[in-house]
Amino acid sequence: MTATPTPAGPAGAGAASPTPLLRLDNVDTFYGPIHILQGVTLEVMPGELVSLLGGNASGKSTTLKTALGLVRPRTGTVSIAGEDVTTRTTSYRIAKGLAIVPENRRLFAPMTVLENLEMGAYLHGSPTKEDFERVYTLFPRVYERRSQLAGTLSGGEQQMVAVGRALMCRPRLLLMDEPSMGLAPILVEKSFEIIQQVHEAGVAMLIVEQNANMALSIADRGYVLSTGRIVLQGTAAMLLADDDLKKAYLGR
Amino acid sequence: MVPGCSAARDHTFLLLVDQFIQTIVDSVTLGSVYALIALGYSMVYGILKLLPFAHGDVFMVGSFIGLGVLKAFGGAANPTISIWLVLVLMALAAMAGCAVLGVAVERFAYRPLRNAPRIAPLISALGTSFFIAYSMQLLFGANHRTYDTFTMAGGKLFLSGITWGPLHVSLVRIIVVVVAVVMMVVLWLLVSRTRMGKAMRATSFDREAAMMMGVDVDKVIVFTFVLGSALAGIGGVLFSLRTDVYSQMGFLAGLSGFTAAVIGGIGSVPGAMLGGYLLGLVETVTQTYISTGWSNLFIFSILVAFMLIRPSGILGKAEIKKV
Ligand SMILES: Nc1ncnc2c1ncn2[C@@H]1O[C@H](COP(=O)(O)OP(=O)(O)OP(=O)(O)O)[C@@H](O)[C@H]1O
Ligand SMILES: [Mg+2]
């Protein structure tokens, strides 16, 4: 819906300074005494695809968890569509339109694929036919496997279910934590195609990826985290051309 | 000579068969109650990874609530309304009362310690168990009471039932087993079919992932305690139809329920049911064929053996793998 042909960037989303769908403002997150995120500020505009890059343990997953309310920042605010949700529960934020494809998928292994999808629509009460249709059209394979236990699926199939499950709650913003992890190269490409497809349907995305090249090739903008701080940000094109980033990630 | 001898042998054989069948019937009756207790243990463990040691005392309170309702309606022999209706009210009141008690225990004894080291809620659970048992003792004394089931409806509960040759299955046993099985079927449907039941299974597998789906874990935990405690409550009433009511009865009942849960595979709903019936079988078989005094020793040896050799129980997963 927001597939405006304007060049990438928040400026393209509306005339008067638009409200970001998600905004972390100067967020500091701790695990016990350990200071992880340090003054992280980040925005995702409606319909935008933003990529979050960074090395291992730089705090990418923590950023997503802070956005979703699985951890609470000690200082700073999180807002969704302009509303301060810093002290709100995860389920409140999901009801506001967030969804996540978590790191390592985190499917409910002893439950069937169908039940996993139903869990994705948990906040709606009962999912509609269209909810299932949308997922099955994207992943015919998931339909075939719907009565299989999720724990017995192949890695690639699990990934499809994890994405499908997140889409079941009709998100406005999808958080994805390394969606291509553990996939064969051909499946990685396929998964990026699907991400683009979902994005073109109007869902904004914040994607954590190790594969920086691939992630930036489909992103509007990107942020680079290093030991809990945003060290670099800009349009995807800008980041792709950045020498420091090239040295750090792309040149590997 | 020969036919007479064979007839005598046949008779002895028939008595043995009869005794055996009677033992099985006994074990199913006892097992039904153990299964009801074990289910609460198992479900709570699945969600909180906590052994709710006060669960047996919730069961005891259920038994007392049943007694209270019975007394309120004039007692077993001369109830003011139909004794069948009284029995239904006893069961419903025990379920409701225990659900409230279970939720209160969770709220005040377990929830404040949810993020504490695991030993803390365990000690709190033990303390709560003593607290409930001795509060009841203070209120109602330590003496044993009974429902006087013998005098209900002129003894019908024991005298009528299914008689088949020398075998007699009394109505009270049939009631215990049928009610327990119906409860378990209802529980099974709740857990496997409803939205809350699915949230419960999801939470017990991976709490954070369930939160990521928007599940309010506090609500799921309360739901679990409502279900488990209500089952314990009705279990208490069913149990006391055939035995006594006393303030310390929760200890052994709870330990038996816990053992049944461990045998079946703690955290598993079908496992708790299976474990309950297996434990009932072991207990009655030792009582019939070895000695009454030995049955508890047997039960707890089995508990220890399972803990040492197969802590995940019969139906439990050896190591719960997260995807
Ligand atoms: N629950 C936790 N308790 C304590 N420390 C944690 C916890 N979760 C993460 N950390 C620490 O926080 C730091 C950042 O972790 P995070 O998972 O956000 O990194 P990441 O950027 O996602 O890394 P990766 O690319 O390896 O997934 C790490 O040092 C990690 O050990
Ligand atoms: Mg991570």
Side-chain angles (χ1 to χ4, degrees):
Chain A
M1 291 183 190
T2 5
T4 37
T6 34
S17 95
T19 322
L21 199 44
L22 172 73
R23 180 175 164 81
L24 304 193
D25 193 4
N26 207 10
V27 157
D28 279 53
T29 300
F30 289 71
Y31 284 120
I34 316 163
H35 199 168
I36 307 290
L37 298 187
Q38 311 186 17
V40 168
T41 297
L42 151 168
E43 281 181 0
V44 182
M45 304 307 288
E48 210 183 9
L49 201 162
V50 175
S51 127
L52 182 59
L53 308 170
N56 285 123
S58 58
K60 305 181 297 293
S61 299
T62 305
T63 305
L64 297 192
K65 285 186 181 182
T66 306
L68 204 57
L70 292 166
V71 289
R72 299 278 163 85
R74 193 170 290 180
T75 57
T77 58
V78 179
S79 34
I80 297 175
E83 181 188 344
D84 185 347
V85 295
T86 315
T87 58
R88 295 294 197 156
T89 61
T90 300
S91 58
Y92 183 85
R93 300 180 198 204
I94 292 172
K96 285 276 155 198
L98 258 53
I100 189 168
V101 177
E103 193 167 25
N104 301 319
R105 289 130 198 184
R106 304 285 281 273
L107 294 186
F108 302 109
M111 298 168 77
T112 65
V113 168
L114 192 69
E115 287 174 328
N116 270 270
L117 295 181
E118 286 171 348
M119 283 309 297
Y122 179 76
L123 283 180
H124 294 319
S126 49
T128 64
K129 248 203 177 88
E130 291 79 60
D131 288 329
F132 286 111
E133 285 307 319
R134 188 155 9 95
V135 173
Y136 293 153
T137 319
L138 220 46
F139 308 107
R141 191 60 170 266
V142 170
Y143 177 74
E144 284 166 32
R145 302 273 155 179
R146 65 193 180 284
S147 35
Q148 192 172 328
L149 292 185
T152 62
L153 295 173
S154 81
E157 291 166 341
Q158 286 184 11
Q159 188 55 36
M160 296 175 197
V161 176
V163 176
R165 184 178 67 172
L167 291 176
M168 286 297 287
C169 73
R170 306 170 209 152
R172 285 196 286 170
L173 169 62
L174 192 54
L175 311 172
M176 295 191 137
D177 203 340
E178 309 205 20
S180 68
M181 184 162 59
L183 298 182
I186 184 150
L187 279 181
V188 173
E189 242 166 79
K190 176 94 180 120
S191 81
F192 273 91
E193 272 168 34
I194 289 196
I195 290 168
Q196 264 179 309
Q197 234 171 303
V198 174
H199 176 224
E200 275 157 19
V203 181
M205 298 205 190
L206 178 58
I207 302 186
V208 168
E209 256 301 331
Q210 294 288 342
N211 193 333
N213 247 329
M214 189 91 87
L216 287 174
S217 72
I218 60 166
D220 298 317
R221 289 186 304 119
Y223 294 88
V224 180
L225 266 176
S226 173
T227 55
R229 291 174 197 278
I230 304 254
V231 291
L232 207 58
Q233 58 179 301
T235 63
M238 224 179 88
L239 291 177
L240 275 169
D242 189 279
D243 282 339
D244 291 343
L245 187 67
K246 259 189 207 157
K247 257 183 241 141
Y249 301 106
L250 310 182
R252 272 202 293 210
Chain B
M1 216 51 215
V2 175
C5 180
S6 125
R9 213 182 301 139
D10 277 359
H11 187 67
T12 327
F13 177 70
L14 277 179
L15 277 180
L16 281 177
V17 171
D18 180 47
Q19 188 190 35
F20 179 72
I21 295 177
Q22 198 68 56
T23 307
I24 299 294
V25 171
D26 286 0
S27 82
V28 172
T29 317
L30 190 62
S32 294
V33 175
Y34 285 163
L36 288 179
I37 308 173
L39 279 167
Y41 251 109
S42 216
M43 290 191 297
V44 168
Y45 182 84
I47 297 281
L48 287 180
K49 306 294 173 263
L50 159 79
L51 294 172
F53 282 122
H55 193 62
D57 302 281
V58 173
F59 167 89
M60 174 270 293
V61 169
S63 170
F64 266 93
I65 292 176
L67 184 67
V69 171
L70 184 62
K71 289 262 147 74
F73 285 101
N78 297 302
T80 50
I81 53 172
S82 154
I83 189 68
W84 308 109
L85 192 56
V86 174
L87 285 171
V88 171
L89 289 177
M90 286 162 71
L92 292 180
M95 289 175 78
C98 288
V100 172
L101 177 63
V103 170
V105 169
E106 190 276 322
R107 181 68 190 79
F108 297 109
Y110 303 152
R111 190 178 300 187
L113 298 170
R114 206 177 290 160
N115 298 317
R118 270 173 75 176
I119 190 77
L122 215 59
I123 292 169
S124 175
L126 270 175
T128 309
S129 166
F130 287 120
F131 176 79
I132 297 176
Y134 286 98
S135 299
M136 290 303 276
Q137 183 161 331
L138 208 63
L139 289 171
F140 301 104
N143 52 328
H144 288 225
R145 298 140 199 270
T146 102
Y147 285 0
D148 285 326
T149 315
F150 271 110
T151 63
M152 284 180 187
K156 230 190 194 144
L157 262 70
F158 282 91
L159 297 176
S160 62
I162 301 171
T163 307
W164 186 59
L167 188 74
H168 176 68
V169 181
S170 60
L171 186 58
V172 68
R173 287 182 187 281
I174 297 173
I175 292 176
V176 169
V177 175
V178 169
V179 170
V181 169
V182 167
M183 285 295 136
M184 285 187 254
V185 170
V186 169
L187 175 81
W188 181 251
L189 290 176
L190 279 176
V191 170
S192 61
R193 299 282 164 82
T194 66
R195 178 168 167 264
M196 206 50 167
K198 283 171 195 163
M200 192 177 133
R201 283 188 289 146
T203 306
S204 100
F205 178 70
D206 185 343
R207 184 191 295 189
E208 196 184 50
M211 289 172 74
M212 289 172 177
M213 303 297 115
V215 173
D216 180 342
V217 171
D218 281 343
K219 255 191 219 156
V220 170
I221 291 172
V222 168
F223 177 74
T224 307
F225 273 86
V226 165
L227 286 186
S229 309
L231 289 181
I234 196 167
V237 171
L238 294 177
F239 186 71
S240 294
L241 282 176
R242 297 180 52 252
T243 55
D244 297 351
V245 182
Y246 57 104
S247 53
Q248 304 301 324
M249 69 190 277
F251 177 73
L252 204 57
L255 214 48
S256 304
F258 169 57
T259 307
V262 169
I263 292 176
I266 199 153
S268 150
V269 166
M273 299 180 191
L274 177 69
Y277 284 104
L278 281 179
L279 190 69
L281 187 67
V282 170
E283 184 167 331
T284 41
V285 165
T286 34
Q287 278 178 357
T288 311
Y289 294 103
I290 302 174
S291 151
T292 319
W294 284 65
S295 70
N296 283 341
L297 178 69
F298 242 79
I299 288 173
F300 300 118
S301 309
I302 291 178
L303 174 61
V304 172
F306 262 92
M307 293 280 218
L308 291 177
I309 299 162
R310 194 174 158 82
S312 57
I314 297 172
L315 295 185
K317 290 133 222 112
E319 174 62 33
I320 300 163
K321 272 227 188 81
K322 301 231 161 116
V323 187

